[in-house]
Amino acid sequence: MNYQFSLIYRGAAYLTLLTALVVMYGWLQGIESVQIIVQSWPSMKFNTALCFFLTGGVLLSTYYKKKLFKIPLAVILLVIACLSFLENLTGLQIGLQSFFVPGLMSAGTALCFMLLALAHIGIYTEALIWRKVSQYLLHCVTVISFFAIIGFVYGISGEGKLVFISSMAIHTSVLFFLGSMVSSLIHPSLGFTRLLIGKKPGNLLAKRMFPLMGGSILVLGYLVINYWETGQISPETGLTIFGLSILMIALVFISIIAMELNSTDIRRSQVARALRDTNANLEKIVIERTALLAEKVELLNATTSAARIGTWEVDLEAQKVAWSDMTKELHGVPPDFEPDLATGINFFKEGKHRTNIEATVERCIATGEPYDVELMIVTATGEDKWIRAIGTPILRDGKVIKLRGTFQDIDVRKRAEIKISEESALLQMLIDNIPINIYTKDLLSRKTMINKSELELMGLEDSSTVIGKTDHELFPKASADISRKEDVEVMKTGIPILSRETSMDLGENNKHWFLTSKIPIVNSEGNVTGLLGVSVDITERKQNEEKLKNYAILESKSAEMEQFAYIASHDLREPILTIKNYLNILFEDYGENLDTGARRYSDTILSALKRMETLIAGLLDYARLSRPKEFETVDLNESMKNVLLSLDSLVKNSQATITVGKLPTISVYPTEIELLFQNLISNGIKFRKPDRVPVIEIKSKKHGRAWIFSVRDNGIGIDPEYIEEVFVMFKRLHSRKTFEGTGIGLSHCRKIVELHNGKIWAESEPGEGSVFYFTIDTNEIKNETES
């Protein structure tokens, strides 16, 4: 049953159930309007409504294929219908008319229920004969209910109807007609249903004629009966008019059918004549095409011979293999060679080639998947030869029964491809390992090739993320605009750019300088198709030039500062020495006469003078750091021993623990580097917490082209807000009463680190100690194990 019929069927089933429930409810509640549609017409009895309820259940069970429910419901319906029919015919009092509500269904109603029940019992049987019987039983119900409906439509009284349908209610007749019609749609190819459902010319004609003819007769009958009952015509006249009208209607429709048949015959003659003409033309075309095909076959043979392409076929059912002459020639076997599947596979070179073809053929046979592979065979003469094997499966009922395909000699082409591939791989390896940036672009400045150096510049690893993209997708807009302008210039003029100094801002203060060359790529026709870019990163050179320039300025300033420091210190020391001398004379001559206040003032002055001398000495030391000197190769492990020896007294007095990891051997300024470690260690001890024993930990590790050193303490720590200020000369974060010092020590440290092309910084939290980091640039002699 198709989808359209299933909707109609299901709707009829639910309508039958609903009508039955409404009528039964009307009987139980005494609602006469649902029992009798028109007062003068028969009513639907309670037992009839109950049987329609069972009929609805049978229809739904049939639709949903619930045989377990359908058969019992149909049997119950059949039993009730048979008993009712028997009681109507014999007059026996079986008791059905007193079941629930008094009233016995008519013989016609009982007969229809019997036929419906029998039809649905046999409707899904395997035997075709029983399905046909079921279909004709349904047609009987349709006819009976149709006659009952016609009686109501024509207004024929009960006496004028057939006896067995004289008391069938109008809604009973409609439900029988509807139920039998939709049930006949279960097997629309059987019985009279196929006449109206099929798509053949006779079916189409019947679908047009039946409704028109039937409708005309019904309307005519209705009019005759109406005039007869009103007395306008006599029964004899009405019957004569009705007969003549039916005859006229029949003649009209016979004429229509005759004209349709004549038209069909004319069309058939035209089609036959056109077919004869077409056949003649086809014969001519076949002769021409046969000749053309012969030429093409000859051309194909010549082409396959020139292209060295052979054919083959494997019949899996007959276990036969057929090779064309060219296929045999490619394998180096004689023309009378009889191959088989195993032999054919064994021609493939042992190892990955044979394993590959075995797996490919097995997969093709198992799944019906065609294949196209390029593998190597060993001919009968022992020659290694590359071939292209194409296989196509032939299936029957979903099973592969044959394999057909071609063999092509691709040895020359394949060996050339392998050589080109190897040369390309070698070229790519060279390009990737040259320490310069190389790339190619198309006319839209999209990258088509890129080497590892260019990838590393962008901080990427996979070239697939770059290929096909422009500089605007990879670099900041300003740099990309300049690059695109250069590309257009080269590709438009065909004149290369050679060793042009360019710069590129990669973001986050990461500016690079390059010597860039851009060379147009020209095809065989002389057209520019893109460009080759080669750039050398000269960022380090530019930075070194800037450093040398700044160093020269700093050297000049340092000399001026040192000269100023010497002059200032000499001029400052003279008055300080004079004051100290006079104070000593004052103590010698008048010491006994000075009171307590005067002595306290004198001590304060001497203390201030001593601090002044210390500051002047620190300033001179800071100035001396800028004097030109040479790097020396120093083992920092030995330097650290000297530092700890000089701090021995401070370490013992503070009970400090100092841990030193393995340090490298590098080129440095020996004295300055020892002073750097000494200042950082002494600071870690000096700024300790009163309730904590100082612990100092010194480590180093390699980072790129520099060494990073760290000095960690567990002291009082520094507020992050003031970390930068501790490196400012004379800047103090604590009073002199709390911690002594000049405020020059960490300034010394920063200057020493800068002399070594490094930088210094600190990380700290109050109360958690501090870590001072500094770097020493690549004045490295040998790599040591990091610690």
Side-chain angles (χ1 to χ4, degrees):
M1 185 185 298
N2 63 34
Y3 178 72
Q4 181 181 3
F5 291 164
S6 67
L7 289 177
I8 297 171
Y9 184 94
R10 189 169 48 181
Y14 283 118
L15 178 62
T16 301
L17 283 173
L18 179 62
T19 304
L21 288 172
V22 170
V23 172
M24 286 192 292
Y25 179 78
W27 276 101
L28 295 174
Q29 297 296 323
I31 303 173
E32 188 177 351
S33 59
V34 297
Q35 302 168 21
I36 304 172
I37 303 300
V38 178
Q39 287 297 324
S40 62
W41 292 359
S43 64
M44 182 189 290
K45 305 297 188 292
F46 183 88
N47 290 345
T48 303
L50 177 61
C51 286
F52 273 122
F53 183 79
L54 294 174
T55 302
V58 170
L59 292 175
L60 287 178
S61 301
T62 303
Y63 176 78
Y64 291 110
K65 297 183 180 180
K66 302 294 184 181
K67 193 172 182 181
L68 184 63
F69 296 104
K70 172 190 166 182
I71 297 301
L73 289 174
V75 170
I76 294 170
L77 178 62
L78 180 61
V79 170
I80 296 173
C82 288
L83 293 175
S84 298
F85 190 72
L86 183 62
E87 191 170 350
N88 267 288
L89 291 180
T90 63
L92 293 174
Q93 297 299 318
I94 299 173
L96 287 177
Q97 60 178 330
S98 60
F99 184 68
F100 285 111
V101 177
L104 181 66
M105 69 177 73
S106 69
T109 302
L111 178 61
C112 289
F113 279 128
M114 287 169 57
L115 297 177
L116 271 178
L118 287 171
H120 275 277
I121 289 173
I123 208 163
Y124 273 127
T125 57
E126 295 295 329
L128 178 60
I129 184 64
W130 286 112
R131 280 187 282 169
K132 286 183 176 180
V133 169
S134 297
Q135 193 79 340
Y136 285 112
L137 291 176
L138 293 172
H139 292 335
C140 290
V141 176
T142 304
V143 171
I144 293 171
S145 56
F146 179 74
F147 276 116
I149 293 172
I150 292 300
F152 287 110
V153 172
Y154 284 174
I156 301 172
S157 63
E159 294 79 5
K161 297 180 186 176
L162 294 175
V163 176
F164 64 94
I165 60 171
S166 61
S167 61
M168 187 182 292
I170 180 61
H171 34 344
T172 301
S173 306
V174 171
L175 289 181
F176 276 135
F177 183 79
L178 187 61
S180 61
M181 287 292 288
V182 298
S183 296
S184 67
L185 296 176
I186 296 174
H187 296 302
S189 61
L190 300 177
F192 292 109
T193 309
R194 67 177 178 177
L195 188 61
L196 300 175
I197 300 299
K199 295 183 179 179
K200 293 181 180 180
N203 301 121
L204 298 176
L205 189 61
K207 280 190 281 189
R208 288 172 57 189
M209 295 297 105
F210 281 1
L212 291 173
M213 192 169 181
S216 301
I217 292 172
L218 288 176
V219 171
L220 180 61
Y222 179 80
L223 291 174
V224 169
I225 292 174
N226 187 53
Y227 284 121
W228 181 12
E229 289 182 345
T230 56
Q232 297 181 35
I233 59 175
S234 64
E236 292 80 6
T237 304
L239 184 60
T240 302
I241 293 172
F242 184 73
L244 290 172
S245 299
I246 289 176
L247 180 59
M248 292 299 296
I249 291 170
L251 289 173
V252 169
F253 282 106
I254 289 171
S255 300
I256 293 172
I257 293 171
M259 286 188 288
E260 288 282 350
L261 291 175
N262 290 337
S263 176
T264 302
D265 187 63
I266 292 170
R267 287 196 297 270
R268 182 186 60 78
S269 299
Q270 292 173 343
V271 170
R273 186 166 53 253
L275 184 59
R276 284 194 300 272
D277 294 340
T278 303
N279 286 336
N281 291 331
L282 283 175
E283 288 177 1
K284 182 179 177 182
I285 292 171
V286 167
I287 293 171
E288 294 174 353
R289 294 291 174 87
T290 301
L292 181 61
L293 180 61
E295 293 177 6
K296 289 188 175 180
V297 167
E298 186 178 348
L299 178 62
L300 177 61
N301 290 333
T303 303
T304 55
S305 179
R308 296 184 63 75
I309 300 175
T311 60
W312 55 269
E313 181 179 277
V314 178
D315 189 331
L316 297 174
E317 292 182 331
Q319 291 296 304
K320 290 183 179 180
V321 178
W323 285 0
S324 68
D325 292 340
M326 179 55 67
T327 302
K328 292 177 181 179
E329 183 182 332
L330 293 178
H331 285 81
V333 297
D336 59 352
F337 180 77
E338 294 293 336
D340 56 43
L341 185 58
T343 304
I345 287 178
N346 287 335
F347 270 102
F348 285 84
K349 190 169 184 178
E350 191 173 0
K352 65 178 183 180
H353 298 276
R354 188 177 300 174
T355 302
N356 191 328
I357 194 64
E358 286 174 345
T360 300
V361 171
E362 287 177 4
R363 182 170 60 252
C364 179
I365 294 172
T367 65
E369 177 185 344
Y371 63 86
D372 185 346
V373 294
E374 295 181 355
L375 298 170
M376 186 178 285
I377 63 171
V378 180
T379 67
T381 59
E383 177 190 359
D384 286 353
K385 182 181 293 184
W386 280 97
I387 59 94
R388 180 184 181 189
I390 300 176
T392 302
I394 308 300
L395 290 86
R396 185 171 64 203
D397 297 330
K399 181 182 178 182
V400 177
I401 59 170
K402 288 184 180 180
L403 298 178
R404 289 176 185 162
T406 60
F407 259 76
Q408 182 180 7
D409 184 351
I410 60 169
D411 194 66
V412 175
R413 188 258 292 172
K414 190 66 177 182
R415 293 184 188 277
E417 285 180 359
I418 292 172
K419 186 176 180 180
I420 292 171
S421 177
E422 290 173 348
E423 291 175 351
S424 297
L426 176 61
L427 178 62
Q428 188 64 45
M429 183 183 70
L430 292 173
I431 290 174
D432 281 340
N433 289 280
I434 292 175
I436 58 178
N437 303 332
I438 301 175
Y439 55 86
T440 58
K441 295 180 179 179
D442 62 14
L443 293 175
L444 297 177
S445 291
R446 295 176 298 201
K447 294 282 177 72
T448 56
M449 188 277 291
I450 186 170
N451 74 339
K452 286 185 179 179
S453 295
E454 181 78 357
L455 273 175
E456 290 172 358
L457 172 69
M458 293 184 284
L460 301 173
E461 296 182 358
D462 187 2
S463 61
S464 63
T465 59
V466 178
I467 299 301
K469 293 185 178 180
T470 64
D471 289 337
H472 283 90
E473 297 174 273
L474 300 169
F475 302 109
K477 185 178 185 303
S479 299
D481 287 342
I482 295 171
S483 179
R484 174 58 179 166
K485 185 177 180 181
E486 294 173 345
D487 294 349
V488 172
E489 176 188 341
V490 170
M491 291 186 286
K492 186 175 181 180
T493 64
I495 301 172
I497 294 174
L498 300 175
S499 300
R500 177 182 290 180
E501 190 172 287
T502 60
S503 65
M504 182 172 289
D505 190 352
L506 300 178
E508 298 181 359
N509 297 322
N510 186 16
K511 188 175 183 179
H512 282 250
W513 291 87
F514 302 93
L515 278 179
T516 298
S517 296
K518 293 185 175 181
I519 305 162
I521 299 174
V522 182
N523 63 15
S524 58
E525 298 176 356
N527 298 321
V528 176
T529 60
L531 63 82
L532 168 69
V534 179
S535 62
V536 180
D537 194 332
I538 58 170
T539 304
E540 186 175 355
R541 190 190 81 184
K542 293 287 290 185
Q543 290 173 344
N544 289 337
E545 287 177 357
E546 190 68 23
K547 285 180 181 179
L548 288 173
K549 181 179 177 181
N550 293 336
Y551 181 75
I553 296 172
L554 287 173
E555 200 171 45
S556 173
K557 296 295 182 182
S558 295
E560 293 176 6
M561 182 177 177
E562 186 176 356
Q563 184 179 6
F564 168 77
Y566 275 113
I567 294 171
S569 62
H570 180 271
D571 292 344
L572 287 172
R573 278 183 171 180
E574 184 177 348
I576 290 171
L577 186 60
T578 301
I579 295 171
K580 284 180 67 177
N581 289 336
Y582 275 103
L583 280 175
N584 289 332
I585 293 170
L586 180 65
F587 286 141
E588 289 176 2
D589 295 344
Y590 303 102
E592 294 179 356
N593 298 324
L594 294 175
D595 59 13
T596 303
R599 287 183 175 278
R600 187 171 66 254
Y601 297 150
S602 299
D603 291 341
T604 301
I605 293 171
L606 285 173
S607 177
L609 291 172
K610 186 181 293 184
R611 287 199 306 277
M612 180 65 75
E613 285 182 323
T614 303
L615 284 172
I616 292 170
L619 186 61
L620 283 173
D621 290 339
Y622 186 82
R624 291 191 188 99
L625 290 175
S626 300
R627 290 181 180 177
K629 47 185 81 71
E630 295 293 331
F631 281 136
E632 296 180 20
T633 301
V634 176
D635 183 352
L636 294 186
N637 297 291
E638 295 299 322
S639 298
M640 188 57 64
K641 290 179 182 178
N642 297 334
V643 171
L644 295 178
L645 186 62
S646 66
L647 295 174
D648 185 62
S649 176
L650 178 62
V651 172
K652 287 180 179 179
N653 291 337
S654 63
Q655 299 180 344
T657 300
I658 300 177
T659 304
V660 182
K662 184 70 175 179
L663 301 177
T665 297
I666 53 178
S667 292
V668 292
Y669 299 127
T671 303
E672 282 76 1
I673 206 72
E674 289 184 7
L675 178 61
L676 171 62
F677 280 113
Q678 183 175 313
N679 281 346
L680 292 175
I681 293 171
S682 61
N683 262 14
I685 295 174
K686 180 168 70 174
F687 292 100
R688 64 182 181 272
K689 297 187 74 172
D691 59 344
R692 187 182 297 172
V693 175
V695 176
I696 312 294
E697 185 180 8
I698 302 167
K699 290 185 176 182
S700 66
K701 67 176 180 179
K702 187 72 180 296
H703 181 72
R705 301 181 60 184
W707 280 89
I708 298 179
F709 298 86
S710 63
V711 179
R712 182 185 298 273
D713 64 57
N714 64 339
I716 61 174
I718 307 169
D719 191 324
E721 183 180 351
Y722 303 109
I723 281 182
E724 288 299 322
E725 295 185 16
V726 299
F727 297 104
V728 179
M729 186 179 291
F730 304 126
K731 184 69 176 181
R732 297 174 57 88
L733 302 182
H734 307 280
S735 66
R736 292 189 180 89
K737 293 182 179 179
T738 307
F739 296 103
E740 295 183 354
T742 61
I744 299 178
L746 288 177
S747 300
H748 276 197
C749 292
R750 181 164 67 178
K751 187 157 188 177
I752 292 169
V753 171
E754 289 173 350
L755 287 173
H756 289 83
N757 298 322
K759 62 179 181 178
I760 185 170
W761 71 95
E763 294 178 359
S764 182
E765 289 291 338
E768 300 297 330
S770 304
V771 185
F772 286 85
Y773 297 95
F774 64 89
T775 62
I776 300 295
D777 208 357
T778 53
N779 303 307
E780 178 183 359
I781 300 303
K782 61 181 180 179
N783 290 333
E784 301 288 348
T785 304
E786 296 181 8
S787 59

